[in-house]
Amino acid sequence: MKSLNLKITDFKIEYSKNEIISVWIDPKFQKELGISKNNKKLKNKNIILCSCNFKFEENNFKIHFSPDNEANIHKYIKNINSKLAEFLRNKENYIDKISNEILEIKNKSWLSFGQSKLQKEDIFPLINKIKEISFNYNNSYSVFLYDNQLFLGHDIEVRIYKEKIEEICLTG
């Protein structure tokens, strides 16, 4: 699988106007976005949300992204085709690495009273289903996996940048 062939017609594109009343941005996220602490000039802007449903093997999931402007939609989709193909081609390796970290989190602080510690082979098949993938402006993306009640219904978010897992956390 070299690349995929998603096209602009595969995506539902929605536009919304938002008015900023107040905002607080986490300093870590602020750094990722390259916004200085002194930047007080935040503008109201239109938001573009592009999404589609995608099927890979027996897994149906949502893909979405939010470009700054319409001109960037084609660029995003080209990048999504490449990044998604790379992820799906190496999905088993990613899931293997994710399983190691999820196992540690589960055994450290998410075991039910009296529950025995889980082993990697218990975790691997449970977190193999993708819920959605969100692509970001900087070529990074987040893969959200179903937790199969390992964490009481929280999604497992895996943040990937340059084909490397940057962070794994629970969301929702």
Side-chain angles (χ1 to χ4, degrees):
M1 176 186 308
K2 288 186 180 180
S3 67
L4 298 173
N5 197 24
L6 289 170
K7 298 175 185 69
I8 195 166
T9 55
D10 295 323
F11 288 85
K12 177 180 177 185
I13 301 173
E14 300 175 276
Y15 301 86
S16 67
K17 287 187 179 253
N18 289 316
E19 180 180 341
I20 297 172
I21 296 170
S22 77
V23 67
W24 176 85
I25 301 175
D26 182 296
K28 183 178 176 184
F29 186 64
Q30 196 172 16
K31 183 179 177 184
E32 285 179 29
L33 288 178
I35 299 172
S36 75
K37 292 180 182 178
N38 300 325
N39 186 356
K40 302 293 183 196
K41 295 181 181 178
L42 293 172
K43 298 178 183 175
N44 295 331
K45 63 188 262 185
N46 295 331
I47 295 178
I48 305 170
L49 179 62
C50 304
S51 62
C52 77
N53 291 316
F54 185 78
K55 183 173 183 173
F56 177 72
E57 296 172 349
E58 295 301 314
N59 193 178
N60 291 309
F61 57 90
K62 183 177 180 178
I63 296 172
H64 57 87
F65 65 96
S66 187
D68 289 340
N69 59 58
E70 284 184 275
N72 287 338
I73 293 175
H74 287 287
K75 180 180 170 185
Y76 258 94
I77 293 172
K78 183 179 178 184
N79 189 44
I80 287 169
N81 283 324
S82 170
K83 298 292 181 194
L84 185 57
E86 185 278 327
F87 178 81
L88 295 174
R89 186 174 44 250
N90 297 301
K91 183 180 175 203
E92 220 170 283
N93 292 334
Y94 279 114
I95 297 296
D96 185 58
K97 291 174 186 175
I98 296 163
S99 295
N100 290 333
E101 191 153 334
I102 291 301
L103 179 64
E104 185 179 331
I105 293 169
K106 176 69 175 177
N107 286 336
K108 187 175 183 179
S109 57
W110 281 85
L111 291 176
S112 300
F113 181 74
Q115 183 180 12
S116 301
K117 287 190 172 190
L118 297 178
Q119 302 300 314
K120 187 172 180 179
E121 55 270 8
D122 301 323
I123 299 284
F124 191 85
L126 294 176
I127 63 166
N128 204 19
K129 191 168 182 188
I130 301 168
K131 182 177 184 178
E132 68 183 80
I133 301 179
S134 177
F135 289 87
N136 305 312
Y137 73 97
N138 65 350
N139 294 325
S140 69
Y141 59 101
S142 291
V143 178
F144 296 86
L145 303 168
Y146 289 101
D147 81 325
N148 280 301
Q149 293 302 311
L150 282 171
F151 303 102
L152 304 174
H154 289 72
D155 293 332
I156 300 164
E157 180 180 357
V158 182
R159 297 178 184 166
I160 300 173
Y161 181 64
K162 293 187 177 181
E163 300 177 13
K164 181 179 177 235
I165 295 174
E166 294 289 319
E167 183 177 19
I168 298 172
C169 57
L170 302 177
T171 61

